[in-house]
Amino acid sequence: MSEEKPNHSGHVLRVGVLDNDALVLLMIRRLFAQQQGVKLIWLTKDPVGAIQLCLDPRSRPDVILVDMALDGMTGLDVCRQLSGFRIKIRCIGMTSYSVDAYARAAKEAGMAYVVQKEDFPHLIRIVLESPHMREESDVKAANAINGTLGTVSRPQTLSGREREVLKLYSQGRETKEIMEEMNVSKSTLWSYEQRALEKLRAKNRAEGIAICVRLHLFD
């Protein structure tokens, strides 16, 4: 998992992730890898396994990120079970749908926040700021941190090559590998990527990939 890099206070926040989407797990792993003050201790697709990891003090995270829709049970079910054991873990729900739709049920289940699943930069911010927020904060407080969550408007259509570049990067491929697979020069590859980001109105590659995931452009 990720290397321990203490924040300015010297504390390292331990994070576990439960999601049944392998691509989301990969993106979260990559985004947290260089994040100061956070140690990603485990990622899993298994809800029962995640609960067991949380119960074991050796693998217990400070924060667990949990998808609201899982195989066999929901993120709310996982959070309810963890709350029943009265162990101190901040549970943060992730969803591709409306945050407000889950607000009441999430609060009743003991979930601290619900955030937009593919909005990775804001998700990281929620995780980093969660230990400093009041326990009684309403789930909707995440909106104030995230800014306007809203839905992503449909972008201009990506060409096959533009989409292929981002998809290969999302799989963890290196630039040189992608150049060889697509049989293009580095400048041509850069051009495809920049055109894709411009059409998606994304600030960087990570945000562009996140938008593609949300809109199922890689399916």
Side-chain angles (χ1 to χ4, degrees):
M1 286 300 139
S2 59
E3 178 186 354
E4 290 193 24
K5 296 183 178 182
N7 57 22
H8 297 301
S9 67
H11 177 67
V12 175
L13 192 68
R14 290 159 55 87
V15 177
V17 184
L18 170 60
D19 197 297
N20 57 8
D21 188 327
L23 182 56
V24 171
L25 290 177
L26 174 64
M27 287 301 302
I28 289 177
R29 182 195 291 271
R30 293 179 64 186
L31 288 168
F32 275 98
Q34 302 301 318
Q35 185 63 54
Q36 188 178 36
V38 174
K39 182 181 181 184
L40 197 58
I41 59 173
W42 48 261
L43 302 97
T44 182
K45 297 180 180 181
D46 178 16
V48 175
I51 292 171
Q52 292 173 340
L53 287 166
C54 289
L55 293 178
D56 187 339
R58 295 169 298 180
S59 54
R60 182 177 300 161
D62 300 304
V63 175
I64 178 173
L65 297 174
V66 56
D67 188 8
M68 299 300 282
L70 298 164
D71 295 329
M73 65 174 67
T74 69
L76 294 172
D77 294 329
V78 172
C79 192
R80 286 190 193 99
Q81 291 200 34
L82 292 177
S83 296
F85 287 110
R86 299 186 181 281
I87 52 179
K88 191 175 181 180
I89 296 178
R90 275 291 175 101
C91 189
I92 298 175
M94 303 182 293
T95 180
S96 297
Y97 303 100
S98 168
V99 170
D100 289 341
Y102 286 104
R104 177 176 294 180
K107 188 174 182 180
E108 291 173 352
M111 193 169 281
Y113 308 101
V114 180
V115 298
Q116 198 72 38
K117 184 174 182 180
E118 293 86 4
D119 199 348
F120 293 115
H122 289 135
L123 179 60
I124 291 174
R125 188 178 175 192
I126 288 284
V127 170
L128 292 175
E129 296 191 13
S130 64
H132 311 295
M133 296 175 186
R134 300 190 308 272
E135 291 288 342
E136 65 272 17
S137 294
D138 190 273
V139 173
K140 288 186 180 180
N143 288 347
I145 302 170
N146 279 6
T148 303
L149 292 174
T151 55
V152 176
S153 57
R154 198 77 186 178
Q156 298 180 50
T157 302
L158 301 184
S159 72
R161 301 291 263 178
E162 292 162 358
R163 185 171 56 253
E164 183 180 6
V165 168
L166 292 184
K167 184 174 183 178
L168 290 171
Y169 274 125
S170 77
Q171 295 169 350
R173 308 285 285 277
E174 299 292 335
T175 297
K176 186 176 180 181
E177 292 180 272
I178 298 175
M179 289 166 53
E180 292 174 353
E181 178 160 335
M182 296 182 63
N183 193 28
V184 296
S185 66
K186 189 172 184 178
S187 61
T188 299
L189 184 67
W190 182 86
S191 179
Y192 284 141
E193 181 181 8
Q194 293 307 304
R195 287 207 300 268
L197 297 182
E198 184 176 345
K199 289 179 179 179
L200 295 168
R201 297 183 291 281
K203 300 183 182 68
N204 51 47
R205 183 186 299 161
E207 186 176 352
I209 291 171
I211 292 171
C212 287
V213 170
R214 180 188 294 182
L215 297 177
H216 304 287
L217 299 184
F218 294 154
D219 294 351

